[in-house]
Amino acid sequence: QVQLVESGGGVVQPGRSLRLSCAASGFTFSSYGIHWVRQAPGKGLEWVAVIWYDGNNKFYADSVKGRFTISRDNSKNTLYLQMDSLRAEDTAVYYCTKDEDWGVFDYWGQGTLVTVSS
Amino acid sequence: QSALTQPRSVSGSPGQSVTISCTGTSSDVGGYRHVSWYQQHPGKAPKLMIHDVSKRPSGVPDRFSGSKSGNTASLTISGLQAEDEADYYCCSYAGSYIYVFGTGTKVTVL
């Protein structure tokens, strides 16, 4: 069965960096685009970034552009999110989600919590 | 990249129907059929309920239906059941390979 498992969350000071991982299994990882979506405590969902199946195209929300970098290693079935220059407003649960086709997010991980605080 | 507008909350009694609206612009909801809906129970990951405006994935009860008119998409839950109490989010493609979610709607079963 399809599984997405995020890891790497934690407490980090403003201005510091953190890298999230998303380990995928149960499907042909290299055939699908994968997104990061986040949810601040008590707030709604916010789309963060997408990487195409081959890693050659990446797109970001304006709120993270220039600070976050999405990448993938298809040999390891793993997605990454490098988060630099973190701000308090980046505090959220970060989910990875598989894109079946044009924004059809059919499988989600359980999420990993990132807290940016001094 | 402004969030799509949804009502903060809707409610209904068991067996009734409720409809959640999702209003965007011609650059997102109005411009594409790539509109999806997600259900989220507290502390859980979102679950896909509707995609491409009105298509229902296998396993999703047929009491969930979607539609779109102009810049507004809608999710209707017919025959409301207790387990439908959750938060619901719409999501639309917004061009240039970016996506935008709605503000979210809490559905309460009275």
Side-chain angles (χ1 to χ4, degrees):
Chain A
Q1 71 283 18
V2 173
Q3 274 201 308
L4 296 166
V5 180
E6 302 94 338
S7 60
V11 180
V12 61
Q13 293 179 327
R16 303 297 290 266
S17 300
L18 200 63
R19 189 177 84 154
L20 306 182
S21 299
C22 169
S25 60
F27 66 102
T28 305
F29 182 72
S30 59
S31 295
Y32 294 92
I34 309 288
H35 300 246
W36 286 101
V37 174
R38 68 184 181 182
Q39 186 170 35
K43 302 298 184 181
L45 300 173
E46 179 187 13
W47 180 82
V48 173
V50 60
I51 185 168
W52 285 17
Y53 68 101
D54 57 2
N56 286 340
N57 289 284
K58 310 168 187 181
F59 301 92
Y60 301 90
D62 286 346
S63 57
V64 306
K65 197 176 297 182
R67 300 187 300 120
F68 288 12
T69 303
I70 189 171
S71 62
R72 66 191 295 162
D73 186 338
N74 284 347
S75 69
K76 295 181 178 179
N77 287 353
T78 302
L79 172 77
Y80 303 100
L81 185 67
Q82 177 66 40
M83 303 185 295
D84 299 322
S85 302
L86 281 162
R87 306 167 180 168
E89 54 264 37
D90 296 319
T91 294
V93 173
Y94 285 74
Y95 296 100
C96 59
T97 176
K98 169 182 168 287
D99 189 341
E100 172 61 27
D101 185 38
W102 285 102
V104 181
F105 306 141
D106 58 348
Y107 290 95
W108 296 67
Q110 84 290 348
T112 187
L113 175 63
V114 173
T115 302
V116 183
S117 174
S118 53
Chain B
Q1 297 176 10
S2 299
L4 308 175
T5 301
Q6 297 181 230
R8 184 177 292 270
S9 64
V10 299
S11 61
S13 299
Q16 288 186 330
S17 293
V18 295
T19 296
I20 303 167
S21 61
C22 169
T23 301
T25 69
S26 57
S27 296
D28 38 61
V29 175
Y32 308 96
R33 287 197 63 80
H34 306 306
V35 177
S36 51
W37 289 89
Y38 300 86
Q39 175 191 68
Q40 187 181 34
H41 287 107
K44 301 294 187 181
K47 175 187 175 183
L48 176 67
M49 304 302 285
I50 294 287
H51 66 90
D52 295 305
V53 175
S54 59
K55 297 180 179 179
R56 198 172 47 249
S58 62
V60 173
D62 59 7
R63 63 178 185 276
F64 289 88
S65 62
S67 63
K68 189 183 83 163
S69 177
N71 297 337
T72 298
S74 299
L75 174 72
T76 297
I77 310 173
S78 306
L80 200 61
Q81 297 187 8
E83 59 262 37
D84 300 333
E85 184 161 297
D87 294 324
Y88 291 82
Y89 295 90
C90 59
C91 181
S92 174
Y93 179 65
S96 301
Y97 306 105
I98 66 170
Y99 293 83
V100 59
F101 279 93
T103 51
T105 298
K106 180 176 180 58
V107 171
T108 300
V109 181
L110 300 172

